Amino acid sequence: MNVLVLLAIILCLLMVLIGGKKGAKSFISLFLNFGVLWVIILEMTLPQANPNLLAIVAGVAISCINLFFINEVNSKTIAAFIATVITITILLFIIYTLTEKAMIQGFGGEEIDELIDVYSLHLGVDFIKIATAVIILSTIGAIIDVAISITSPMQEIFQRHPSINRKELFISGLTIGKDILGSNTNTLFFAFIGGYLALFLWFKDLSYSFSQIINSKIFSAEMITIFCAGIGIALVIPITSWISALYLVRGRDKI
């Protein structure tokens, strides 16, 4: 049996046994997310495509899958969805500016040596927008995860203390977010180290100095991705806390 199929079956069984119905939905969402990304990638290859707009569309679609499909439509998923969309929109402008100023778009010198003799580099696409879209899609999962991790306990706090005011509920959300911030930022960092360990070995074989490593386009692009993801995580915490507190308290006051 193909190794990929076997691993997929094992993952599916474990998710269903441990997570039940929600675990099964989570497994299905993996393929739905892949489908969204595949369509977006195909669209980005078209000359008239706008990668930034496609990144926002993909972010919204992935948010709907991971929030509404898995956790259904309720107060916590609605608040998390709104906060995610707002954060992605703000982050888009930050990332685009950073990408343009840092000039990290396109291929690094190490990659050019392998590509220039085989492929044409005249693709007719805006690599700044492509790089921005790639970073957005790299951070969307972490932003959604933080958003739902805040709205869920905030809803529990509100149900336990229905008389709590908006400010107190907002502060509770910030407190929850502070505990999440450090762990998620470190998760992003170690994901980079694990995924690009071969890159560091390559730098060593090429006898790169420390200054050459940190100025390498490949290394800089990945570090900027981590920092932008960290910025997104930091931004989504107060945004989610404020929206969730507003949504919950306003719903109570209308009753």
Side-chain angles (χ1 to χ4, degrees):
M1 182 180 292
N2 187 288
V3 175
L4 295 178
V5 176
L6 179 61
L7 289 175
I9 293 173
I10 294 173
L11 176 62
C12 179
L13 291 175
L14 289 174
M15 293 180 74
V16 172
L17 288 173
I18 297 172
K21 182 180 178 181
K22 187 170 290 188
K25 287 184 176 181
S26 298
F27 181 77
I28 295 172
S29 70
L30 295 175
F31 297 94
L32 296 177
N33 290 329
F34 177 79
V36 170
L37 292 176
W38 182 254
V39 171
I40 293 299
I41 290 171
L42 292 178
E43 290 294 324
M44 282 186 183
T45 59
L46 300 177
Q48 70 274 18
N50 186 333
N52 291 345
L53 179 60
L54 290 172
I56 293 178
V57 172
V60 172
I62 292 171
S63 299
C64 289
I65 293 170
N66 288 277
L67 293 173
F68 300 136
F69 176 71
I70 296 176
N71 298 291
E72 301 179 347
V73 180
N74 49 56
S75 59
K76 62 183 180 183
T77 54
I78 292 173
F81 175 77
I82 296 172
T84 299
V85 173
I86 293 174
T87 304
I88 291 173
T89 304
I90 296 172
L91 201 59
L92 180 66
F93 293 100
I94 296 174
I95 293 173
Y96 185 85
T97 303
L98 286 174
T99 303
E100 187 176 26
K101 297 297 182 183
M103 299 294 291
I104 61 170
Q105 73 277 6
F107 302 102
E110 298 83 0
E111 297 168 308
I112 289 294
D113 293 337
E114 298 181 1
L115 296 174
I116 196 168
D117 294 329
V118 182
Y119 301 105
S120 172
L121 301 181
H122 302 287
L123 302 179
V125 296
D126 189 335
F127 273 96
I128 295 178
K129 292 182 178 179
I130 290 289
T132 304
V134 168
I135 296 175
I136 286 290
L137 295 175
S138 299
T139 60
I140 182 66
I143 292 173
I144 295 172
D145 180 57
V146 172
I148 193 65
S149 296
I150 292 175
T151 58
S152 184
M154 283 185 70
Q155 185 183 55
E156 184 69 20
I157 292 171
F158 182 76
Q159 291 175 347
R160 299 278 183 176
H161 306 281
S163 60
I164 191 172
N165 60 47
R166 187 186 303 171
K167 182 179 179 180
E168 292 174 337
L169 192 57
F170 172 72
I171 292 173
S172 297
L174 289 179
T175 302
I176 296 166
K178 289 176 183 177
D179 296 331
I180 298 172
L181 181 61
S183 61
N184 274 268
T185 305
N186 281 312
T187 300
L188 293 171
F189 174 75
F190 287 114
F192 163 75
I193 294 298
Y196 282 85
L197 183 60
L199 177 63
F200 292 108
L201 296 175
W202 189 20
F203 285 151
K204 182 180 181 300
D205 289 338
L206 294 174
S207 300
Y208 272 32
S209 65
F210 179 74
S211 60
Q212 287 177 309
I213 292 175
I214 62 175
N215 285 289
S216 169
K217 180 179 284 190
I218 301 176
F219 180 80
S220 298
E222 294 306 320
M223 290 306 297
I224 287 176
T225 300
I226 293 175
F227 290 142
C228 288
I231 291 171
I233 292 173
L235 283 175
V236 79
I237 290 172
I239 292 173
T240 304
S241 301
W242 183 79
I243 291 175
S244 185
L246 178 66
Y247 187 88
L248 292 170
V249 174
R250 180 174 291 182
R252 178 194 63 192
D253 294 341
K254 286 183 180 180
I255 300 177

